[in-house]
Amino acid sequence: MTLAAALAGGMALAVLGAAVAVLLAGTGSAVGVGIAGEAAAGVTAEDPDKFGKLLLLQALPGTQGFYGLIGAFLVMNQLGFFTGAIPSLSVDQGWQFFFACMPVALTGLTSGIAQGRVSAAAIGMTAKRPEESGKGLILAAMVETYAVLGLLATLLLLNGIQV
């Protein structure tokens, strides 16, 4: 079966789910990294020596985009995109794949933005009290927990789908 023929059935829904996982989680990361980056640029302009401590805080919201990509990769792997053995999916199976992608997509979007805000606050804290930068990193990392849970839920849901 060719990819074009496979997309006519439930495969389109499965591929849409994978694409949404990448799109939403990546958007959350882009917004979060942008928020933290704006704060880090302001602090670095005043004190360039703090750049090293701020870089990790700015990069932290970027992980959600990777989680979305991992979710999409798992879908593509399960559907045989890398081996060429693409199965025919029913519409029900396509919806199963679509909804299995939603936990990583939605937690990636929301946690990426929230983590960017916490990172920006931690960057402000580091600007005033550089010795407290580790605490700021821990606060920002707490938000990461929910993105990891979203990825885990997607992984478990995908493993439950029979193809």
Side-chain angles (χ1 to χ4, degrees), residues 85-147:
I86 300 171
S88 176
L89 291 182
S90 69
V91 173
D92 289 343
Q93 288 172 314
W95 280 117
Q96 289 173 3
F97 276 100
F98 180 85
F99 284 111
C101 292
M102 291 303 103
V104 73
L106 296 174
T107 59
L109 175 66
T110 57
S111 71
I113 294 169
Q115 195 170 43
R117 290 181 179 150
V118 174
S119 291
I123 287 167
M125 184 171 75
T126 301
K128 293 179 182 175
R129 300 183 66 188
E131 70 278 5
E132 302 293 336
S133 65
K135 291 178 182 173
L137 185 63
I138 291 170
L139 294 171
M142 293 298 291
V143 181
E144 185 86 15
T145 303
Y146 299 97

Side-chain angles (χ1 to χ4, degrees), residues 61-90:
T63 55
Q64 284 82 352
F66 289 107
Y67 298 157
L69 184 62
I70 291 169
F73 179 82
L74 292 172
V75 169
M76 291 187 292
N77 188 47
Q78 194 166 344
L79 295 177
F81 280 30
F82 304 116
T83 63
I86 300 171
S88 176
L89 291 182
S90 69

